[in-house]
Amino acid sequence: MKKVEFSPSLMTMDLDKFKEQITFLNHHADSYHVDIMDGHYVPNITLSPWFIEEVRKISSLPISAHLMVTDPSLWVQKLIDLKCEWICVHAEVLDGLAFRLIDQIHDAGLKAGVVINPETPIETIFPYIELVDKITVMTIDPGFAGQRFIESTLDKIVSLRKLREDKGFQYVIEMDGSSNRKSFKRIDAAGPDIYIVGRSGLFGLDDNIEKSWEIMTRDYEEMTGKVLNYT
């Protein structure tokens, strides 16, 4: 069985326990997910490249930046300068920018990702799909934590897996939104490579991050019937 990867969404962590939580997760998570919102593409303003700098001081795990911004060209170089391993941009703002930004990221030796909103068909990214390293399927509307899980979005994961197998594409598939005990079984059936876990799936389960991780992994195993190699 292929190893399932978990990427904690640091937007939902307890910032009062920043060092404690990152120190623990450094030995358990596969990567970190950092949401960067500009207050225009979505109404919230959250984390920033500065936050990634702070994480870098105490972690060597790969970091995936999820750009929920109107003009990604204003942000990509900042993230390249930080050597952010994954730079992921929404398909909805990539018209006229996709090839240039993907090349810019790849030329820096980093990985380019594209994010698809619940209403966005996967056909939108077909012109450049063979160039991307990761596709993130939003299973909630972007911009807010704790929303209702949109089950129909899982069909995109299934379609992207089949397309990858048929065409020999190399992208990994990630899901983002309401990944928790209630949805683990349905998500697992669709088969993404990476689960982003936030407040409902990890950080909100207990005040202690070690206990939260224990609950999260147990929830996954109980709901899917699969055994994880996490401690």
Side-chain angles (χ1 to χ4, degrees):
M1 182 183 73
K2 183 177 179 180
K3 180 179 181 291
V4 172
E5 294 190 8
F6 289 101
S7 184
S9 174
L10 300 188
M11 179 182 77
T12 60
M13 72 184 298
D14 186 346
L15 293 179
D16 288 337
K17 300 177 179 178
F18 174 81
K19 186 173 182 180
E20 172 190 334
Q21 294 192 341
I22 294 294
T23 299
F24 172 82
L25 291 170
N26 283 342
H27 301 285
H28 297 80
D30 296 284
S31 62
Y32 291 127
H33 182 87
V34 175
D35 290 305
I36 297 176
M37 307 181 192
D38 64 357
H40 296 282
Y41 182 71
V42 291
N44 282 344
I45 298 175
T46 53
L47 306 178
S48 70
W50 169 84
F51 183 84
I52 293 175
E53 290 185 76
E54 296 303 302
V55 175
R56 284 280 192 226
K57 292 177 182 179
I58 57 174
S59 178
S60 59
L61 281 188
I63 296 175
S64 181
H66 175 187
L67 288 174
M68 284 176 265
V69 300
T70 301
D71 188 353
S73 63
L74 298 177
W75 297 82
V76 166
Q77 188 58 50
K78 296 177 184 178
L79 295 166
I80 287 174
D81 293 342
L82 291 172
K83 300 191 184 305
C84 186
E85 285 84 358
W86 299 86
I87 301 174
C88 305
V89 182
H90 270 265
E92 299 79 18
V93 297
L94 272 178
D95 280 356
L97 298 172
F99 291 94
R100 176 164 59 87
L101 291 185
I102 292 170
D103 286 347
Q104 184 181 355
I105 294 167
H106 284 165
D107 287 346
L110 303 171
K111 295 182 179 180
V114 62
V115 187
I116 306 174
N117 278 340
E119 302 91 342
T120 303
I122 64 172
E123 288 79 9
T124 300
I125 65 172
F126 278 5
Y128 50 85
I129 189 170
E130 65 182 18
L131 302 177
V132 299
D133 304 291
K134 178 164 69 174
I135 300 172
T136 303
V137 175
M138 296 295 298
T139 54
I140 61 172
D141 288 332
F144 297 91
Q147 294 182 64
R148 178 181 68 84
F149 179 76
I150 304 171
E151 187 167 1
S152 60
T153 59
L154 297 178
D155 292 339
K156 296 179 187 178
I157 295 175
V158 175
S159 296
L160 287 168
R161 284 179 54 212
K162 185 176 188 305
L163 188 64
R164 182 173 63 185
E165 293 168 4
D166 291 346
K167 300 291 187 179
F169 294 146
Q170 299 300 309
Y171 55 75
V172 296
I173 304 168
E174 179 177 74
M175 61 75 54
D176 184 3
S178 294
S179 178
N180 54 45
R181 182 178 179 86
K182 293 180 180 179
S183 59
F184 277 146
K185 184 174 182 179
R186 290 171 287 173
I187 297 169
D188 179 72
D193 305 298
I194 304 170
Y195 290 66
I196 296 172
V197 284
R199 183 174 302 138
S200 67
L202 177 62
F203 292 107
L205 300 178
D206 194 90
D207 290 337
N208 179 277
I209 187 61
E210 183 173 357
K211 181 66 174 177
S212 292
W213 185 268
E214 179 185 326
I215 295 170
M216 185 270 290
T217 53
R218 184 175 67 240
D219 283 347
Y220 177 86
E221 291 179 337
E222 289 179 353
M223 300 309 294
T224 65
K226 296 180 178 179
V227 177
L228 296 169
N229 293 319
Y230 286 93
T231 57

